[in-house]
Amino acid sequence: MSDTHAVRPPLYYRLATVMLAPIYRQMVIKKSKNKPTLKRELNERFAKHYQPPPVGRLGVIWCHAVSLGELNTVYPLLLKLLNHGYGLWVTSTTQTGFERAAKLFDNEIRLGRVAHSFVPVDTPSVIDTFLTHVKPIAALFIETELWANTLYACRKHGIKTLMINARLTQKSYLGYAKIAKVSQTMMANLDGIIAQDASSAKRFGQLGRVYIVQSDSLKWASVSTLSDAQLAAVNILTRQLNQACKTYIWVMASSHDGEECIALKAHQQFLQKFPNALLILVPRHPERFEVVHQMCLQGGFLTARRSMGETISPKTQIYLADTMGELLSWYQVAQIAVVGGSFVPIGGHNPIEPASLATPVIMGAYDDNCKDLVEALKQVGALVQLPDEPNISEQLFKSLLQASLSQWTGRSGAVLVQQKQRALQEQFLFVLRMI
């Protein structure tokens, strides 16, 4: 089925994507050359070969989630769509997102209800091949990432396109505004946007004419229910902590380059007050695990590595959680959660996960990805936000010290998360109505 109202992107954009595709291919090869999935990644990004499409009683929905964070956010919504009778094709841009999809939907993939792949490049021929293979009835794009050729192709094929849990920072808006004609075609080819805040809704509207509704962020629905494997990890770690007499435990979660040094400096001071303290350090990206380990050793910290099966002893000062898919376990055992991506200009990661476990949260000043969530948790006393200052490690130490001495809990955060669960149902009903 085709749609005569499809608005074609400008010629310069279509030519640019075709011309840049070979360069992008080389970038993929360079970045993933040591990955066992390289051949599959190249095949899927450039439409050479795909897995069989999934089966759904009501049809197949394509969902694109850039990486691990976006996929975790939309996961509760995808489960509801699966249970409603739809099959799912899930695409990821990053390796971590691809691996997370395989883990989250392991059983459904084996049953043929879900398929996953790397996202196809945004060239007309590749996108047409991908859509012809998958045959989705709708496409959901999570939070931010949009591509003009993709939206045009979907409209031509009669595929409904929706932005889910959409956000648009001022910086991103200015970037889209510089390519105004491209952005206008994207808005024209979109069937609808669910914006997670009023500022994002306004900015999307300024880019072009499109149907927009507003709802609380799906991140409120990311209630942290631990899997059996995660609960087992909690039990094992709790026994080790008790045997090692570790009573002051904090986690630096999803840290980026520049944030580990802040955490290590703060922990050095914290150990002077509480020698039996433990920092659980969780780098965001697996390719940085070894670098961060070396930082810990060079800082003189006695470090145990999760990936090596090393146990926590009374002398252990840092537990390097260099594995994937276990963050909720560390949030569960920690007394304070410091959420990364917020002390460097990344935009901050999801504070709802620790908050839903009643673990109090500390974040830095960079919160563009989750500003409304941060403000709401601050208002109920479940989150402290530190200013962007040169002595940020000192500020972090003082906050950790105060939190430990006051026995700060995050119960108010857990209550707020429960009150916000309507966001999931609202967005689910919107998707059903639109498709």
Side-chain angles (χ1 to χ4, degrees), residues 160-218:
K160 294 289 187 180
T161 54
L162 304 172
M163 278 197 82
I164 303 299
N165 209 51
R167 59 181 174 82
L168 190 64
T169 65
Q170 181 66 15
K171 181 180 178 181
S172 296
Y173 165 75
L174 293 174
Y176 281 118
K178 289 178 181 178
I179 50 171
K181 290 187 176 180
V182 176
S183 297
Q184 286 166 9
T185 69
M186 291 196 293
M187 295 300 106
N189 289 325
L190 266 173
D191 289 288
I193 295 175
I194 309 177
Q196 58 178 268
D197 58 73
S199 297
S200 290
K202 180 179 179 181
R203 292 178 189 125
F204 279 118
Q206 290 171 340
L207 290 178
R209 295 185 62 182
V210 62
Y211 178 53
I212 305 172
V213 298
Q214 187 180 334
S215 174
D216 281 331
S217 173
L218 273 182

Side-chain angles (χ1 to χ4, degrees), residues 114-132:
V114 175
H116 76 119
S117 70
F118 289 95
V119 68
V121 296
D122 190 44
T123 62
S125 61
V126 168
I127 293 299
D128 279 335
T129 301
F130 172 77
L131 295 177
T132 299

Side-chain angles (χ1 to χ4, degrees), residues 2 10 50-51 63 183 263 269 305 389 421:
S2 64
Y50 289 110
Q51 306 296 311
C63 172
S183 297
Q269 291 180 276
R305 296 186 71 168
E389 295 180 354
Q421 292 308 295

Side-chain angles (χ1 to χ4, degrees), residues 51-57 59-60 82 85-89 105-116:
Q51 306 296 311
V55 176
R57 177 175 54 84
V60 174
L82 272 173
Y86 293 100
L88 293 177
W89 188 292
F105 296 106
D106 176 57
N107 188 55
E108 289 82 4
I109 290 171
R110 285 189 278 106
L111 293 174
R113 300 176 64 210
V114 175
H116 76 119

Side-chain angles (χ1 to χ4, degrees), residues 69-70 73 143-144 165-172 196-197 200 203 217-219 256 284 339-342 344-352 363 365-374 385:
E70 291 82 1
T73 295
E143 293 199 358
T144 55
N165 209 51
R167 59 181 174 82
L168 190 64
T169 65
Q170 181 66 15
K171 181 180 178 181
S172 296
Q196 58 178 268
D197 58 73
S200 290
R203 292 178 189 125
S217 173
L218 273 182
K219 288 183 178 178
H256 291 257
R284 177 74 172 182
V339 177
S342 62
V344 292
I346 299 295
H349 294 300
N350 186 3
I352 302 303
M363 291 185 71
Y366 297 98
D367 63 356
D368 284 350
N369 295 344
C370 49
K371 195 176 290 292
D372 284 3
L373 308 181
V374 169
Q385 189 171 29

Side-chain angles (χ1 to χ4, degrees), residues 66-363:
V66 177
S67 191
L68 180 146
E70 291 82 1
L71 186 55
N72 285 342
T73 295
V74 78
Y75 180 64
L77 176 62
L78 298 185
L79 283 184
K80 287 181 76 71
L81 291 170
L82 272 173
N83 293 335
H84 199 71
Y86 293 100
L88 293 177
W89 188 292
V90 180
T91 58
S92 307
T93 301
T94 67
Q95 183 75 33
T96 51
F98 178 82
E99 292 170 357
R100 182 63 171 159
K103 194 167 187 177
L104 282 175
F105 296 106
D106 176 57
N107 188 55
E108 289 82 4
I109 290 171
R110 285 189 278 106
L111 293 174
R113 300 176 64 210
V114 175
H116 76 119
S117 70
F118 289 95
V119 68
V121 296
D122 190 44
T123 62
S125 61
V126 168
I127 293 299
D128 279 335
T129 301
F130 172 77
L131 295 177
T132 299
H133 177 77
V134 178
K135 294 181 174 61
I137 61 169
L140 310 182
F141 302 94
I142 312 307
E143 293 199 358
T144 55
E145 191 164 295
L146 289 175
W147 297 98
N149 288 329
T150 298
L151 291 172
Y152 173 63
C154 286
R155 180 57 67 93
K156 280 198 308 175
H157 284 260
I159 300 164
K160 294 289 187 180
T161 54
L162 304 172
M163 278 197 82
I164 303 299
N165 209 51
R167 59 181 174 82
L168 190 64
T169 65
Q170 181 66 15
K171 181 180 178 181
S172 296
Y173 165 75
L174 293 174
Y176 281 118
K178 289 178 181 178
I179 50 171
K181 290 187 176 180
V182 176
S183 297
Q184 286 166 9
T185 69
M186 291 196 293
M187 295 300 106
N189 289 325
L190 266 173
D191 289 288
I193 295 175
I194 309 177
Q196 58 178 268
D197 58 73
S199 297
S200 290
K202 180 179 179 181
R203 292 178 189 125
F204 279 118
Q206 290 171 340
L207 290 178
R209 295 185 62 182
V210 62
Y211 178 53
I212 305 172
V213 298
Q214 187 180 334
S215 174
D216 281 331
S217 173
L218 273 182
K219 288 183 178 178
W220 287 111
S222 54
V223 177
S224 302
T225 302
L226 277 68
S227 67
D228 290 342
Q230 290 168 334
L231 286 171
V234 168
N235 292 333
I236 291 170
L237 191 64
T238 300
R239 284 198 297 271
Q240 291 184 22
L241 293 170
N242 290 337
Q243 291 168 3
C245 299
K246 297 293 183 183
T247 53
Y248 295 94
I249 304 147
W250 65 287
V251 58
M252 179 71 186
S254 298
S255 61
H256 291 257
D257 187 17
E259 293 186 312
E260 290 90 8
C261 62
I262 294 171
L264 294 180
K265 287 179 182 177
H267 192 53
Q268 202 164 39
Q269 291 180 276
F270 199 54
L271 285 168
Q272 293 174 10
K273 283 285 185 180
F274 304 110
N276 60 344
L278 181 76
L279 163 60
I280 303 174
L281 186 54
V282 193
R284 177 74 172 182
H285 297 119
E287 60 266 27
R288 298 191 62 249
F289 287 164
E290 185 57 40
V291 172
V292 175
H293 181 233
Q294 292 303 316
M295 288 177 61
C296 295
L297 297 182
Q298 290 167 10
F301 295 98
L302 295 172
T303 305
R305 296 186 71 168
R306 169 70 173 169
S307 64
M308 300 297 183
E310 296 171 352
T311 58
I312 297 169
S313 73
K315 294 183 178 180
T316 304
Q317 298 168 318
I318 293 177
Y319 189 61
L320 181 58
D322 52 349
T323 54
M324 299 297 290
E326 295 188 303
L327 182 56
L328 297 185
S329 302
W330 317 141
Y331 280 147
Q332 180 72 67
V333 300
Q335 293 154 346
I336 303 165
V338 181
V339 177
S342 62
F343 295 88
V344 292
I346 299 295
H349 294 300
N350 186 3
I352 302 303
E353 291 174 335
S356 70
L357 293 169
T359 303
V361 180
I362 297 174
M363 291 185 71

